[in-house]
Amino acid sequence: MTSRVAAAIDAAKADGRGALIGYLPLGFPDLQGSIEAAVTLAENGADILELGPPYSDPVMDGTVIQEATQKALAGGFRLRDTFTAVREISARVDVPVLVMTYWNPVLQYGVDRYADDLLAAGGAGLITPDITPDAASEWIAASERTGLDRVFLAAPTSTDERLDLIVENSTGFIYTVSTMGITGERANLDAAARTLVARLRARGAENACVGIGISNAEQVEGVLEYADGAIVGTALVRALRDGGLEGLAAATQALSAGTAAHHDN
């Protein structure tokens, strides 16, 4: 089965640019508001949407995202709302929707049921930050059965053996973590990201997209000198929080301008 996510990255490459992957938490500022925000992202230059259902113990998230997810949980967000949101967004825009989720909610819901419901809603796959391929056999089987993409994370500290496992088991792209630690904007993106992408390519990775710490068009452009996509979260959540849908649209357009500069790999 063709990966919808890989196809979106390939389409960007055919346009001579890298892909922009935009993250937003579901349920912020409320459920319908988060659906409108995701549609706004897609309509203003995001090639792939990464949507995060709020989770009570978000180990990887920085302050801006944590505050947004706390607000979503306080507003009564339920796990099943994930599928409602994905269904409505997928019906309105032709951009692949990945769900970025911690593993525990998927286990509690039932791995096969989660995969089936995500597929039925029009979702493209899952990004699973806290589960490694060697512990994900149930999800690997479910995603192979449904054709959903499975995006695993690679970190600068990953061993070569671990990277082999990640390359072998990821589809769509590999989520390449630029720095160790939580999400947020950083003045200088780590040189570790460039090294890590080179290591992944040497091991046969087709698509490596870099996230964590990217917050402006210059950083998007810098990352796309060596990676296939740039993943932006905190800067978009802040734009939505401070400027509503208009602010989000402007921020997405500005970031998108960084994808076209001189992509060549």
Side-chain angles (χ1 to χ4, degrees):
M1 278 179 250
T2 329
S3 155
R4 287 172 55 204
V5 170
I9 295 171
D10 288 344
K13 284 180 188 169
D15 283 345
R17 58 187 187 80
L20 176 64
I21 300 158
Y23 165 89
L24 287 173
L26 286 171
F28 176 78
D30 51 42
L31 184 59
Q32 195 56 43
S34 67
I35 290 168
E36 298 303 331
V39 169
T40 298
L41 257 189
E43 288 176 343
N44 287 278
D47 298 289
I48 296 164
L49 299 178
E50 176 190 332
L51 303 177
Y55 184 52
S56 52
D57 183 26
V59 286
M60 267 185 61
D61 298 327
T63 318
V64 173
I65 292 174
Q66 274 195 26
E67 284 171 359
T69 55
Q70 290 310 318
K71 186 167 181 183
L73 287 170
F77 187 92
R78 295 287 171 267
L79 182 57
R80 63 177 177 272
D81 295 336
T82 304
F83 307 107
T84 306
V86 170
R87 184 175 293 106
E88 189 168 332
I89 294 159
S90 297
R92 288 171 61 184
V93 294
D94 190 25
V95 167
V97 177
L98 287 167
V99 172
M100 165 88 145
T101 179
Y102 292 95
W103 192 241
N104 198 38
V106 180
L107 268 185
Q108 289 184 338
Y109 193 83
V111 178
D112 277 306
R113 180 178 164 224
Y114 198 109
D116 289 336
D117 287 0
L118 183 59
L119 183 69
L126 291 181
I127 300 172
T128 50
D130 63 342
I131 188 171
T132 53
D134 48 327
S137 56
E138 206 182 339
W139 161 232
I140 290 169
S143 67
E144 283 179 349
R145 177 177 62 76
T146 52
L148 291 168
D149 275 315
R150 47 179 191 271
V151 178
F152 290 107
L153 271 67
T157 50
S158 302
T159 62
D160 286 347
E161 292 73 21
R162 167 76 61 204
L163 293 186
D164 282 335
L165 200 61
I166 291 165
V167 169
E168 201 178 308
N169 289 288
S170 296
T171 63
F173 65 87
I174 293 167
Y175 194 122
T176 311
V177 180
S178 65
T179 46
M180 298 311 293
I182 58 172
T183 59
E185 295 139 307
R186 290 180 172 77
N188 294 304
L189 271 174
D190 216 340
R194 193 181 287 262
T195 307
L196 179 55
V197 170
R199 288 175 66 205
L200 285 165
R201 293 224 191 281
R203 317 200 86 72
E206 282 181 36
N207 291 320
C209 299
V210 173
I212 304 197
I214 302 172
S215 57
N216 59 46
E218 292 71 32
Q219 289 174 340
V220 167
E221 187 184 331
V223 157
L224 292 176
E225 286 172 15
Y226 59 90
D228 303 287
I231 304 164
V232 182
T234 299
L236 292 170
V237 180
R238 179 180 277 119
L240 174 62
R241 180 194 73 189
D242 297 345
L245 295 177
E246 278 181 32
L248 179 63
T252 310
Q253 288 170 16
L255 289 160
S256 181
T259 64
H262 45 69
H263 183 59
D264 137 59
N265 68 347

